[in-house]
Amino acid sequence: MPELAASIRRKRYPGVGDAPPHTALEDVDVEMAAGEFVAIVGPSGCGKTTFLNIVAGLDREFEGELRLAPRAGGRPPRIGYVFQNPRLLPWRTVHENIALVLRPDQDHAIVDELLGEMGLREAREVYPSRLSVGMSRRVAIARAFAIEPDLLLMDEPFSSLDAATADRLRDLLVETLKARPTTVLLVTHDLREAVALADRILLLSPAPGRVLAEVPIRIPRERRGDPRVIEALHAEVTRTQRSAMAQRAAGPG
């Protein structure tokens, strides 16, 4: 059984006031294998975040089916979610924000381990108001890993960061995944980010979002530190995206 199998026939938001209903997603079929890193790329408003919220169980008002592989003993899968906004509680320290999500049976030592891995050990007792944007994002990522997720959802986790900080956080994510392997579903509008991180890229159309194309990235992630490799991959995926958009615009036949 795949780690994730989602078949979204339609996700429609009701109209507000005089506005008509809005169809965010239509005929979106996604499967993921355990340990796979999949990136969903598409323009603003194409339903990327909506899809993540459906997978997370935060939005159940859709037509279709969602299946997540059960775990040993029949327990439901644990889902970590890194939102666009870090959503840290301002009255809790960095350590407390991460520890808040732990299960009763978990060893709290994992919090200090993650603080070390994220370069946040010295910020352990700091409150969110004193953190930079990049540090806040690292705390949010640490919190998502703290539950030992079977599936990690990431919604534009590096947006609004300067290029150097975003690159450092992407490298940090890759290193953390080596130590704590999990299945990852990333939403981004940044195609270069997708080719740098993902095993496979799903290209979504403008709303209503549909999968235009699926592009496997066969070059090992370790080789993608070379800017020339990233540019070559980016050019290849961009050609695929343009071709798929042109075919969609032309319609059947």
Side-chain angles (χ1 to χ4, degrees):
M1 179 179 179
E3 189 79 352
L4 165 68
S7 181
I8 313 301
R9 298 278 65 82
R10 184 176 292 106
K11 167 59 189 179
R12 177 174 290 173
Y13 292 102
V16 177
D18 295 331
H22 171 68
T23 302
L25 296 167
E26 199 164 63
D27 295 329
V28 175
D29 296 297
V30 176
E31 286 194 358
M32 292 179 65
E36 191 176 18
F37 193 132
V38 172
I40 297 179
V41 179
S44 295
C46 73
K48 302 187 297 296
T49 297
T50 295
F51 183 76
L52 281 195
N53 288 338
I54 289 173
V55 173
L58 301 177
D59 187 341
R60 301 181 187 275
E61 299 297 322
F62 66 94
E63 299 172 36
E65 185 179 8
L66 175 70
R67 299 192 306 276
L68 296 168
R71 319 317 295 184
R75 72 163 174 83
R78 290 193 288 266
I79 299 177
Y81 202 146
V82 181
F83 297 90
Q84 289 186 44
N85 184 318
R87 299 190 181 187
L88 305 180
L89 299 180
W91 58 89
R92 292 183 181 269
T93 65
V94 165
H95 183 278
E96 290 169 343
N97 265 283
I98 298 171
L100 187 65
V101 302
L102 298 183
R103 304 183 305 280
D105 63 325
Q106 270 189 284
D107 185 346
H108 279 231
I110 192 173
V111 178
D112 287 320
E113 291 171 10
L114 284 163
L115 288 173
E117 292 170 19
M118 294 287 166
L120 292 166
R121 192 170 281 121
E122 293 183 1
R124 187 182 192 277
E125 302 302 327
V126 174
Y127 288 91
S129 62
R130 303 295 300 274
L131 300 175
S132 67
V133 176
M135 291 176 73
S136 296
R137 296 292 175 88
R138 280 185 274 159
V139 177
I141 293 171
R143 183 178 57 192
F145 274 102
I147 67 167
E148 300 173 311
D150 303 300
L151 174 63
L152 178 62
L153 307 178
M154 308 188 80
D155 188 4
E156 304 274 10
F158 312 118
S159 63
S160 74
L161 298 174
D162 63 83
T165 301
D167 284 343
R168 286 196 296 272
L169 262 64
R170 282 190 281 266
D171 291 343
L172 190 60
L173 174 63
V174 170
E175 291 304 310
T176 304
L177 286 170
K178 288 179 183 177
R180 304 175 185 274
T182 189
T183 308
V184 182
L185 182 59
L186 168 75
V187 153
T188 180
H189 67 278
D190 186 339
L191 196 50
R192 284 183 174 82
E193 180 170 278
V195 299
L197 293 172
D199 303 313
R200 184 161 50 102
I201 298 174
L202 304 180
L203 300 171
L204 256 61
S205 70
R210 297 182 177 91
V211 178
L212 290 173
E214 183 177 306
V215 185
I217 305 297
R218 297 187 172 89
I219 294 177
R221 198 171 287 113
E222 292 74 22
R223 288 182 52 201
R224 299 184 219 169
D226 185 339
R228 294 170 297 181
V229 171
I230 293 295
E231 286 306 312
L233 288 170
H234 180 265
E236 177 186 344
V237 178
T238 298
R239 285 193 295 271
T240 300
Q241 186 177 41
R242 288 173 178 166
S243 174
M245 288 291 288
Q247 289 178 19
R248 181 172 185 262

